[in-house]
Amino acid sequence: MLNVSETWAAPVGSRTSGPAAEEASTAAGDAPWTRPALGAILVLAAALYGWGLPHAATNSFYSAAAYSAAHSWKAWFYGSLDPASFITVDKPPLSTMAQGLSVRVFGMGTWQMVLPSVLAGVGSVAVLHGAVRRAFGRRAGLVAALVLALTPITVAITRDNNPDPLMMFLTVCGLWALVRLFEDGRWRWALLFGAFFGLAFLAKMLQAFVPLPALVGAYLYAGPGGWWRRVRQMLAAGGALVVAGFWWPFAVDLTPAASRPYIGGSGATNSAWNLVIGYNGLSRVLGRGVGGSLTGGRGGGFGGGPAAGSAARSAAGSTARHFPGGGKGFHGGGGGGAFGGGSGLGRMFEQTLGGQISWLLPLAAVCLVGGLVLLGRHATTARTATQRGALIACGGWTVLGFAVFSFMNGTMHPYYTTLLAPGIAGTVAIGGRLLVRACRASLLWALVTVAGLLATAAWAIVVLQRTPDWQPWLTPAVALLAVVGTVGVLAGRPRRRMILAGAAVGLAATLLGPAAYAVDAAGSTATSGQGGSNPLAGPATGRGGFAGGGIRIGNRPGAGTSRSAQAQAQARAQTQARAGRRFGGGAFGGGAFGGGFGGGRDGGTVSAAVVKYLTEHRDGARWILAVGTSQQAAQLILSTHQPVVSMFGFTGSDSAMTASRMAELARSGELRYVELGGGRGGNASVDAWVQAHGTKVDVAGTTLYRLS
């Protein structure tokens, strides 16, 4: 009988020496070439994530927060949208804290803001390698690192300033700490495991907890020591999570509202906990409306029903006329499907998401089931327990992530699925290592292995054929490599090197498609006009967009468009880039943005006449203008380098501005100008007060109200 436990080396760090140690090192995959191979993978990841960063697309919503964090420690702490801290962005501040520090050190520019994401992406690849290596050797660690580095949506989002790369890095660090806990059961690893997930919560709140039940369950099932000890360690990890992650919402809600900015995304509650549980929590999964509140907040915003969607589209049209582009991307009243397809079992495989994350899902399923069967046949030892726990953790991570992202009914951006990538990479590496080992002694397992490779290659061909005119050589190349790999695995038995060579070729067949998408994502954002609000890799296949108002999401031409359509899209992108250079204020720090941030790599520009008028007629006001939404405010902040009020937050559902607050700001002289009509429904009492007490001023076709 095949004894899997005998095929693995002693635990990493073993101090044995002599022939036995050399044999153990070889069995674990610790060959001399593995270290340079890891270095090459990290260089590849750095190149994919960091190529052409000065010209990369970014999200102006978070860019404005990074600028504010670099110029105000109060804005840095709260994650404020503007330097004067009127309202926060709708996420916790850890990501903008990192970006703000980078901007403070290196100056304001695109690469300075994206640098923390690039470091987090490369760090995720390195740490995942370390976690898998400790349980299954360096070869398995290399496979995990390579798969993660080449995941298309991971490349796309890591070249952006969204919080997802930092969240992914911290969750992978949590996996690494859990593997260490499996190895020796020391309490410090349990505390570190919880602390990493607490920090991941501060990057993107409850989304960071998607893989957590799988990791906790894996340790309770397969961890060392008795059951009660494992339970106590996970309780201690939970305590560390609370301390590391929940201090910020507690601190925010304990601070008097008058002494802090309004909490964006909290509806009418102005509570960080409503942001956690409602807007960034259950409403994302249950689809209660992007701007809705589960704890008493005012509804509205996109996804809030047909009426809300109509008002949103109308307001966004007004926004686009004067402050187009910017923001995180939005859709008209249709729930999450406008970005990531309709919810259901097939969501990960449909047009938009299929080319971003699904490439290795068939292989991951085979590796998970096959690996669990192989490990389950043998007596539990300290080594096999660690291996079993690591496989359950990565496999459970994949299953839970797949289920949550497939069936969630709230807003579903494709880049959310980057959280799936470490689970898929770890499952393929660990289960694949077990299957390849089993091929030497069993024809059945050899057939299972090649079936997984062939099914995955076949799915890659299906995805590639959705855009047959894009890189047409990929389909025959994938088919050829899959056949060669299959022959190598089956004909090479029982010779170990032949099996490894065949498996390597088969793996190359499965990675060729995602690698092409990843390279496309790395090389095209600088020139194609792809927005930073909803980054995608590869050719355009079923990308969502905003219907009306001139704001486009994913407008990069792909193989599915005609030549004339491609030419028109390229012309639009070039026009936007030129407009950015002309109207963007010259880019912060002497033009470091390579296109002008006010020009909005998200796809729009701010009216130069409006900017000029506001800066010349500020009259000592704290904020130069109040506008309806955070997208408008972000573009103006980046163009003028001055504080701008977002009255109703990102979705228009926040009650940050009221008539009494507006009157107070007008009396104190802190606010002189207001633009109405961009608040996606706004607040009728605020509009009425401004119209009654303000004086209309027309600036280049834009109607402003001056408050006396």
Side-chain angles (χ1 to χ4, degrees):
M1 179 184 294
L2 174 67
N3 191 335
V4 175
S5 63
E6 294 176 357
T7 67
W8 296 100
V12 173
S14 173
R15 297 186 180 274
T16 58
S17 59
E22 183 178 352
E23 179 181 354
S25 178
T26 301
D30 197 8
W33 58 268
T34 56
R35 291 182 183 273
L38 174 61
I41 293 174
L42 294 178
V43 169
L44 172 65
L48 290 172
Y49 303 156
W51 181 264
L53 277 191
H55 305 285
T58 51
N59 189 324
S60 64
F61 183 66
Y62 297 118
S63 300
Y67 171 80
S68 302
H71 291 80
S72 164
W73 287 114
K74 181 177 181 179
W76 181 85
F77 178 82
Y78 287 107
S80 303
L81 179 70
D82 69 280
S85 293
F86 184 84
I87 192 172
T88 70
V89 295
D90 56 6
K91 296 294 183 294
L94 192 61
S95 179
T96 54
M97 283 179 172
Q99 294 170 27
L101 291 176
S102 178
V103 169
R104 279 183 181 268
V105 173
F106 300 111
M108 188 65 181
T110 299
W111 72 264
Q112 293 94 325
M113 283 188 300
V114 181
L115 180 62
S117 295
V118 174
L119 295 177
V122 176
S124 298
V125 173
V127 174
L128 182 64
H129 167 271
V132 174
R133 175 188 66 86
R134 299 197 70 87
F136 285 87
R138 287 193 181 275
R139 286 193 179 96
L142 291 174
V143 172
L146 183 62
V147 171
L148 180 58
L150 293 178
T151 301
I153 193 61
T154 300
V155 176
I157 193 60
T158 304
R159 298 174 54 79
D160 206 312
N161 60 339
N162 279 268
D164 297 73
L166 180 60
M167 175 188 63
M168 180 178 69
F169 170 69
L170 292 167
T171 55
V172 172
C173 287
L175 174 66
W176 174 84
L178 185 70
V179 172
R180 298 300 304 269
L181 183 60
F182 271 112
E183 288 181 330
D184 57 28
R186 294 183 180 180
W187 285 84
R188 64 185 180 188
W189 302 123
L191 296 176
L192 197 59
F193 166 64
F196 277 129
F197 271 91
L199 291 174
F201 169 86
L202 281 183
K204 211 175 179 191
M205 292 193 172
L206 294 185
Q207 185 180 337
F209 293 165
V210 168
L212 190 58
L215 274 61
V216 172
Y219 187 74
L220 292 176
Y221 173 73
W227 167 258
W228 176 234
R229 176 184 173 85
R230 281 175 267 160
V231 170
R232 287 186 292 132
Q233 286 181 323
M234 288 297 98
L235 290 175
L241 184 154
V242 169
V243 172
F246 289 1
W247 64 268
W248 184 81
F250 274 117
V252 168
D253 277 9
L254 290 174
T255 303
S259 301
R260 60 168 172 83
Y262 197 93
I263 303 303
S266 67
T269 66
N270 194 17
S271 167
W273 285 111
N274 185 73
L275 184 67
V276 172
I277 299 171
Y279 181 87
N280 283 326
L282 297 180
S283 67
R284 300 279 174 165
V285 178
L286 302 178
R288 299 289 183 88
V290 176
S293 167
L294 297 182
T295 56
R298 182 164 57 93
F302 290 175
S310 177
R313 284 190 291 271
S314 175
S318 173
T319 300
R321 285 193 296 273
H322 307 302
F323 306 101
K328 298 185 291 183
F330 41 90
H331 56 88
F339 293 125
S343 63
L345 190 61
R347 173 184 266 177
M348 295 296 109
F349 303 97
E350 55 84 48
Q351 290 282 353
T352 301
L353 295 181
Q356 307 304 314
I357 192 64
S358 73
W359 301 89
L360 270 69
L361 281 175
L363 184 59
V366 173
C367 288
L368 175 59
V369 175
L372 290 175
V373 171
L374 286 168
L375 285 175
R377 289 183 170 186
H378 306 285
T380 299
T381 64
R383 183 65 173 164
T384 57
T386 299
Q387 295 169 354
R388 187 177 293 118
L391 179 58
I392 294 173
C394 290
W397 183 326
T398 303
V399 171
L400 275 179
F402 179 87
V404 170
F405 295 133
S406 293
F407 292 100
M408 62 186 290
N409 289 313
T411 301
M412 174 62 194
H413 287 280
Y415 61 78
Y416 291 175
T417 60
T418 195
L419 189 61
L420 261 175
I424 294 173
T427 303
V428 167
I430 294 171
R433 186 77 166 137
L434 289 167
L435 290 173
V436 170
R437 285 280 182 176
C439 288
R440 295 182 64 187
S442 170
L443 176 61
L444 175 62
W445 286 112
L447 292 173
V448 170
T449 302
V450 299
L453 291 172
L454 289 175
T456 307
W459 172 243
I461 291 173
V462 171
V463 174
L464 292 170
Q465 285 303 297
R466 289 173 174 171
T467 52
D469 296 330
W470 184 79
Q471 307 294 344
W473 60 272
L474 284 171
T475 295
V478 170
L480 177 61
L481 289 174
V483 171
V484 172
T486 297
V487 172
V489 171
L490 295 179
R493 298 181 59 255
R495 294 183 294 276
R496 174 174 170 271
R497 290 186 177 179
M498 288 293 294
I499 295 174
L500 287 174
V505 174
L507 181 64
T510 67
L511 288 177
L512 192 58
Y517 269 55
V519 171
D520 177 85
S524 62
T525 54
T527 58
S528 64
Q530 177 182 357
S533 57
N534 200 34
L536 294 171
T541 52
R543 296 183 176 185
F546 182 76
I551 299 177
R552 301 177 182 275
I553 301 301
N555 59 355
R556 184 157 57 90
T561 59
S562 66
R563 292 182 181 272
S564 60
Q566 290 186 30
Q568 293 170 6
Q570 291 171 357
R572 283 195 301 269
Q574 293 169 359
T575 300
Q576 290 167 359
R578 287 193 295 270
R581 286 190 290 270
R582 187 164 60 247
F583 300 136
F588 304 102
F593 282 90
F597 220 99
R601 300 295 299 176
D602 288 337
T605 61
V606 175
S607 168
V610 174
V611 171
K612 183 174 184 293
Y613 180 86
L614 290 172
T615 52
E616 291 179 351
H617 297 80
R618 182 174 181 177
D619 296 338
R622 185 179 183 184
W623 290 277
I624 65 169
L625 180 67
V627 295
T629 66
S630 294
Q631 293 94 302
Q632 296 171 272
Q635 288 286 328
L636 274 169
I637 291 167
L638 293 169
S639 294
T640 64
H641 310 179
Q642 301 297 334
V644 177
V645 169
S646 167
M647 294 187 288
F648 310 116
F650 177 71
T651 65
S653 65
D654 291 321
S655 300
M657 183 64 77
T658 62
S660 60
R661 176 66 170 150
M662 180 69 75
E664 177 186 343
L665 294 176
R667 284 194 302 269
S668 65
E670 292 182 287
L671 181 64
R672 294 295 187 192
Y673 291 94
V674 180
E675 189 203 30
L676 301 179
R680 300 183 187 174
N683 184 303
S685 63
V686 171
D687 291 357
W689 190 95
V690 170
Q691 291 168 347
H693 296 83
T695 302
K696 276 189 179 184
V697 179
D698 183 87
V699 182
T702 299
T703 299
L704 305 179
Y705 286 84
R706 177 177 172 84
L707 306 179
S708 58

